[in-house]
Amino acid sequence: MREIEVIIDTEEIAEFFYNELTKRGYVPGESEIEELADITFEYLLNKCIIDEAEDIDEED
């Protein structure tokens, strides 16, 4: 079975939270969104849902 690599970063998480919160009528600040994204990323790492990887060169 082939393993699929999915890349999740805090910028993607931050954008997701911003979009979802604004849909719900909240107006989050940039620093609040960044903190939520960092916390979420740490949560996913702690639960072994994702693995922390080295920075990936997008030219590869």
Side-chain angles (χ1 to χ4, degrees):
M1 184 171 198
R2 185 175 169 209
E3 185 176 318
I4 298 173
E5 184 176 327
V6 176
I7 299 172
I8 298 174
D9 63 18
T10 54
E11 185 176 313
E12 180 182 0
I13 295 169
E15 184 177 327
F16 176 81
F17 271 108
Y18 180 81
N19 290 332
E20 291 301 312
L21 286 168
T22 55
K23 283 182 198 175
R24 291 167 170 80
Y26 296 99
V27 183
E30 184 176 339
S31 64
E32 295 165 322
I33 291 297
E34 289 174 1
E35 286 298 321
L36 283 171
D38 287 340
I39 291 167
T40 302
F41 193 82
E42 290 296 322
Y43 174 79
L44 295 172
L45 285 172
N46 288 336
K47 291 294 185 174
C48 299
I49 295 171
I50 60 173
D51 291 325
E52 192 165 21
E54 298 293 321
D55 288 340
I56 298 172
D57 188 357
E58 292 187 21
E59 291 180 16
D60 288 344

